[in-house]
Every structure is written in C-alpha cells, then in structure tokens.
Amino acid sequence: RTGKTAKVASHNLHHGEEPPISGTKGSGTIFFSNCNLRCIFCQNYPISQLGAGEPVSDERLARMMFNLQERGAHNINLVTASHVVPQFIAGLKLASEEGLNIPIVYNSSGYDGLEALALLKDIVDIYMPDLKYVTDEPAERYSSATKYWDAARKAVKEMYDQVGPLEMDEDGIGVRGILIRHLVLPGGLAGSEKVFEFIATELSPDVPVNLMSQYFPADKAVDDPLLGRRITKKEFAEAEEALHRWKLDNGWIQRM
C-alpha cells in the first residue's frame, strides 16, 4: 500500500522505549504509515492497517530527522520502515548533508528482506526487531505473514552480523548493536521458548531481550477466540522462566 512516496503518521520525541533508546532526552521516533504485516491485534492499527498519515517528500523526511536531532533526540528511530527502506535512505542522504549525526535505530517486525538489510549495512546503528512467532500457522493466520520464522531468523542473523550485541556509551545510551523485543501472546502462540533458544544459541546470550507483557486485544483480535483476551500471569511467568533458562539476562522484563 505504499508507492514511491512514503507516508508518515507522526514524528516526535518518545520516552517509552527501552532505557538505552529513550535515554533522558527521548528517542526521535518516526512512525511510518502502513506495514508489511497485517497483525489482527496491532495496537497501532490506525497507522499500520488503515494507513493514517501524510505523504512526505525526501526533503520533508530529512527535515523531520534534523528537527528531532535539534530537539535533543538521542537517535532517529524508524518505526515500521521495512516497506520504505529506499525512501528512508533518500531522506537520510539529505539530512546527513545538513549535519545529521545521531544513531539510526531500525525498529521492525523482524519480517525483513535480506536485500533491504543489505542496503542498510553501515547506515543503521541499532537494530530493534520483534520476534513474533516460531511456527507458520499462527504467523499466517494472525499476521498474514508467509514463512515468518524462516524470514525473521535470517533477517535477525543478518542484523546481528552487521552490528553485534548492543553497545552503550558512558551514559548508558545505545550507540550500536541489536536488541530484540518479544511480546508474549495468549496460549503460547508466540513460541517464546524457541525464540529464546534461537537468540542464545544462534546469536549470543549477550543480546538484550525486552520481554513484554503489554498484549491486549485490539482491532480484529477483540472477537478472536484465542486472541480475544489478555495473557495470564501464569503464561507470562512461563515465558520469563524460559528467558532465564537460556540465560538471556541482559535485557528488560515488563512484568504484569
């Protein structure tokens, strides 16, 4: 649903990201309209599914980035940019010529193509992907994503190869590396144990993981027989135990 021109829903300082991303001054988030997934439970569905936002030229996108830097943002945080990588790079070129010099954060669903990630090598400083599912059936049913786990596993490996585990400066602000988000879903649909096994054995136990409990039924998930409820404390505790079993202790736990 995106052509030559990207659409942006908002750009602002955001203080609700992980501590190394938000820091003390905020992360300079740019929320791109639309998404390459169709998650029926997306909490930002007016932006990701309904396309709320306005078309932006390369020049305007560059001004957004530079404005966020002038306002003190620790980084430029690209939210759901998987489908607008060329447009972002065009805007970044102009912003860099004007003096943009803060880290670039790529905040994605993990469902990224290797060709796009190759374009982002030496451009993105911090990758912040989700790992949503480990099996095909729920990925296709709830996010319209064919072979999600195969694609995401390859993509996240490429991200890790490019930047390594998260590195921070003396103030605890992220400067380079990868951190991974994992949202616990009802009924174990996210396959948390296998997600953590993959991170620990195929990447590194040093990779920070943000284990999130914030799921609630949104959009079409409200009437779904499996996703139409919040997760239970037991479901989250089981995911947390699995996280510790794989010794992924460098991240954050968003307890219920």
Side-chain angles (χ1 to χ4, degrees):
R1 301 180 183 179
T2 299
K4 184 177 180 180
T5 303
K7 290 175 67 179
V8 170
S10 68
H11 68 289
N12 216 330
L13 294 176
H14 185 42
H15 296 274
E17 304 283 37
E18 289 78 0
I21 305 301
S22 288
T24 56
K25 300 177 182 178
S27 178
T29 53
I30 299 177
F31 278 83
F32 288 97
S33 307
N34 299 315
C35 183
N36 66 343
L37 294 185
R38 291 285 176 268
C39 301
I40 70 168
F41 52 86
C42 182
Q43 297 169 7
N44 291 321
Y45 70 89
I47 298 171
S48 65
Q49 310 302 310
L50 304 182
E54 297 181 357
V56 295
S57 63
D58 298 343
E59 293 77 12
R60 188 175 175 198
L61 184 56
R63 286 197 300 272
M64 288 178 179
M65 292 188 234
F66 197 74
N67 172 260
L68 288 166
Q69 177 174 280
E70 288 186 319
R71 292 172 61 190
H74 293 294
N75 46 63
I76 299 300
N77 185 345
L78 311 170
V79 184
T80 60
S82 301
H83 57 300
V84 290
V85 167
Q87 295 93 323
F88 153 66
I89 292 175
L92 178 67
K93 181 178 185 296
L94 298 176
S96 298
E97 291 169 354
E98 294 298 317
L100 185 80
N101 58 13
I102 54 178
I104 302 298
V105 178
Y106 187 77
N107 184 342
S108 85
S109 66
Y111 197 54
D112 292 285
L114 296 180
E115 185 177 358
L117 293 175
L119 293 177
L120 294 170
K121 187 176 182 181
D122 300 323
I123 291 178
V124 167
D125 300 283
I126 299 173
Y127 284 104
M128 194 160 62
D130 289 337
L131 280 176
K132 292 181 176 292
Y133 311 96
V134 297
T135 52
D136 289 345
E137 195 277 331
E140 293 182 11
R141 179 175 179 180
Y142 298 116
S143 295
S144 299
T146 303
K147 297 182 179 178
Y148 173 88
W149 181 234
D150 183 58
R153 192 170 66 249
K154 292 175 181 176
V156 172
K157 281 183 177 180
E158 172 62 22
M159 295 174 187
Y160 179 80
D161 287 344
Q162 288 185 19
V163 297
L166 186 66
E167 301 172 15
M168 293 176 276
D169 65 16
E170 61 276 10
D171 297 317
I173 307 300
V175 293
R176 181 178 174 83
I178 186 173
L179 66 91
I180 295 174
R181 291 170 162 173
H182 179 68
L183 179 67
V184 180
L185 295 176
L189 288 174
S192 302
E193 178 95 38
K194 290 185 179 179
V195 168
F196 304 146
E197 178 183 3
F198 162 74
I199 296 169
T201 61
E202 298 193 45
L203 303 181
S204 166
D206 294 331
V207 172
V209 176
N210 185 7
L211 183 65
M212 300 184 294
S213 64
Q214 66 194 40
Y215 176 82
F216 66 85
D219 195 19
K220 298 180 181 65
V222 171
D223 298 319
D224 186 87
L226 293 179
L227 292 179
R229 64 169 175 85
R230 290 181 177 270
I231 63 171
T232 65
K233 290 184 178 181
K234 182 175 183 293
E235 287 170 333
F236 189 77
E238 289 173 349
E240 185 176 348
E241 289 169 6
L243 184 78
H244 294 308
R245 265 197 304 276
W246 289 103
K247 302 188 185 325
L248 298 172
D249 301 319
N250 291 334
W252 308 270
I253 298 174
Q254 183 193 70
R255 290 190 171 86
M256 300 178 67

